[in-house]
Amino acid sequence: MPKTNHGALRGRIARELDDLRAQAQFRTLEVPGGINLCSNDYLGLAADPRLKQALLDAVARSLLTGSTGSRLLSGNDRAWEELETEFADFAGTETALCFSSGYAANIGLLGSLLQPGDIVFSDALNHASLIDGIRLSGPAKIVYPHGDLEFLEHALREHRDAKGAKLIVTETVFSMEGDVAPLRDIVRLAQAYGAELVIDEAHAIGVRGPQGRGIAAELGLERDILAIMHTCGKALASAGAVVCGSRALRDLLINRARTFLFSTAMPPYLAGQIRAALHLARAAESERAHLRHIATALRQALAAAGHSFGASTTQIVPVLLGDNETALHVAAQLQENGFAVKAIRPPTVPPGTARLRLSLTSRISLEDVRRLAAAIHTACQSAPQTSSASTVHA
Ligand SMILES: Cc1ncc(COP(=O)(O)O)c(C=O)c1O
């Protein structure tokens, strides 16, 4: 019998888990309880009875419970094509194509667009799905410091005569910082230096722009951008994602995006749910106004108590705490006080920037926000180290 080496991999698993525990980076799954501040349900649609009814109606209309295959085989359904037409109108683009998640959309999109020899300019704080999409497709990658236009312009100028394609990739509302990319300037640079642009509106959809149509629509730049990725699992309280752009882009994705080609389509009734969510999100003006109001109130309360929330200007408000232990301590204290809050630690955020990521939803009251700010302050004071909770960058 050849000697087996089972022990090697199992030993490595145990060591990795021990390392994670030692670095206070070991994660477990929990069901959130209390006032939920770690949800992306920004418009509160996840518990909206109108959306639930729309889903039930869509299920009742659907002949099939499952899609039965990839969209290129048996899985296509008119419900998806109707949704895509409506989504293109929403995004302000010629066409749209649905994917089963934002992660799959970004991987499929970047994998279809890029090849070795191309150059990608990627914001340092881009989401893992963008990073992985770039990594998998093999272009040269230049990571520019978060939002640093000077660096980006310098890098674009340096590679002005490069033979391959040039692509800038950025989120619009950044998921961990809650700030907004300088999109107008990025578009200007892209045009000046012959680069294309892919944006991820995961945290802007439903929240920013006219009718919640996102930052590109807010700035009227929809047709200047090669591809706009919107997710449906956050403010739309559904699941899936949509890549919006030209007809040629859609055709390319249908033919080349591996996460589209080689994956079972989502059940057709979900298209009905997403469509209803889109209608509700477009009309949710009072929810958007409330969200802006409570986010401003939270930042004001944190600033008054000397806590840093970075450059947040949106419904996502980080409380920067520095080391993992402090972040875990403060999160645990808040949980005890009835706030569902998570400590966000490296590698999700850069080392030394562990934080609470407070994501507000329109169902949270101003009173809750005030109680939250007070509870954060109390928890920080009892933390073993309150390393960075002191400097405010407004
Ligand atoms: C900026 C960003 N892009 C993409 C995704 C992935 O979207 P999904 O959760 O639909 O896979 C996320 C999810 O957290 C995100 O924050």
Side-chain angles (χ1 to χ4, degrees):
M1 282 272 281
K3 209 170 159 217
T4 57
N5 200 16
H6 279 143
L9 192 48
R10 289 169 191 232
R12 193 162 77 202
I13 292 171
R15 278 194 304 281
E16 272 190 39
L17 293 176
D18 286 346
D19 285 351
L20 288 172
R21 287 190 189 92
Q23 294 160 27
Q25 282 191 1
F26 185 74
R27 292 166 170 83
T28 54
L29 294 175
E30 283 146 36
V31 178
I35 297 174
N36 195 343
L37 290 147
C38 49
S39 128
N40 300 314
D41 178 27
Y42 302 125
L43 299 175
L45 290 180
D48 191 312
R50 296 170 298 174
L51 188 52
K52 191 172 195 179
Q53 190 56 51
L55 169 61
L56 293 173
D57 294 345
V59 171
R61 274 197 311 273
S62 284
L63 291 177
L64 305 172
T65 56
S67 73
T68 77
S70 155
R71 292 263 307 266
L72 281 165
L73 298 172
S74 61
N76 201 20
D77 190 291
R78 279 212 184 82
W80 289 114
E81 296 186 352
E82 285 162 9
L83 171 65
E84 287 163 352
T85 302
E86 197 156 333
F87 224 109
D89 173 64
F90 173 78
T93 55
E94 197 182 356
T95 67
L97 186 71
C98 293
F99 285 76
S100 54
S101 72
Y103 191 93
N106 280 339
I107 301 274
L109 169 64
L110 292 168
S112 305
L113 291 177
L114 293 168
Q115 42 186 270
D118 294 341
I119 306 180
V120 173
F121 303 84
S122 174
D123 188 287
L125 297 188
N126 275 342
H127 187 260
S129 54
L130 296 169
I131 296 171
D132 292 355
I134 294 168
R135 214 177 259 160
L136 282 172
S137 41
K141 179 165 88 159
I142 294 173
V143 177
Y144 59 93
H146 180 49
D148 188 336
L149 292 171
E150 224 173 280
F151 188 106
L152 177 59
E153 178 158 21
H154 182 79
L156 284 164
R157 193 180 302 122
E158 206 170 61
H159 295 280
R160 181 175 232 152
D161 300 323
K163 286 215 172 59
K166 283 170 281 183
L167 182 70
I168 304 172
V169 178
T170 184
E171 293 180 39
T172 53
V173 169
F174 278 84
S175 58
M176 291 295 146
E177 304 299 306
D179 61 346
V180 181
L183 195 60
R184 197 186 292 288
D185 288 327
I186 293 176
V187 166
R188 178 180 55 76
L189 290 181
Q191 289 172 346
Y193 292 97
E196 295 285 357
L197 179 57
V198 163
I199 63 170
D200 178 331
E201 298 255 42
H203 298 275
I205 180 173
V207 175
R208 294 293 297 252
Q211 300 181 320
R213 294 172 49 229
I215 300 286
E218 187 172 307
L219 301 174
L221 297 171
E222 306 98 306
R223 299 284 169 142
D224 295 313
I225 294 165
L226 181 66
I228 303 176
M229 201 285 291
H230 283 289
T231 55
C232 309
K234 301 185 195 297
L236 297 190
S238 304
V242 188
V243 176
C244 307
S246 66
R247 183 155 306 284
L249 177 78
R250 185 174 189 271
D251 288 344
L252 180 81
L253 294 176
I254 291 172
N255 284 278
R256 285 274 186 263
R258 296 172 69 82
T259 51
F260 179 87
L261 285 159
F262 301 115
S263 187
T264 301
M266 292 185 294
Y269 56 78
L270 196 64
Q273 178 181 346
I274 298 171
R275 211 167 157 191
L278 207 54
H279 290 178
L280 293 170
R282 287 184 100 146
E285 290 307 338
S286 60
E287 286 80 358
R288 278 187 279 278
H290 179 65
L291 207 47
R292 282 193 295 274
H293 183 56
I294 57 174
T296 304
L298 178 59
R299 278 188 291 270
Q300 283 169 350
L302 290 172
H307 299 292
S308 172
F309 50 80
S312 161
T313 54
T314 65
Q315 77 283 4
I316 299 167
V317 182
V319 182
L320 301 176
L321 296 168
D323 58 88
N324 295 347
E325 289 76 12
T326 306
L328 286 170
H329 168 86
V330 176
Q333 293 281 304
L334 290 171
Q335 285 156 17
E336 273 181 29
N337 282 290
F339 296 105
V341 173
K342 291 280 182 187
I344 309 287
R345 290 157 282 162
T348 310
V349 291
T353 71
R355 64 194 64 190
L356 306 179
R357 172 183 180 269
L358 306 174
S359 51
L360 301 176
T361 82
S362 61
R363 290 189 186 266
I364 295 173
S365 70
L366 188 57
E367 180 49 31
D368 288 337
V369 161
R370 294 203 173 114
R371 282 198 309 112
L372 170 69
I376 290 170
H377 193 55
T378 309
C380 281
Q381 283 178 324
S382 69
Q385 294 160 290
T386 48
S387 44
S388 67
S390 44
T391 357
V392 176
H393 319 260

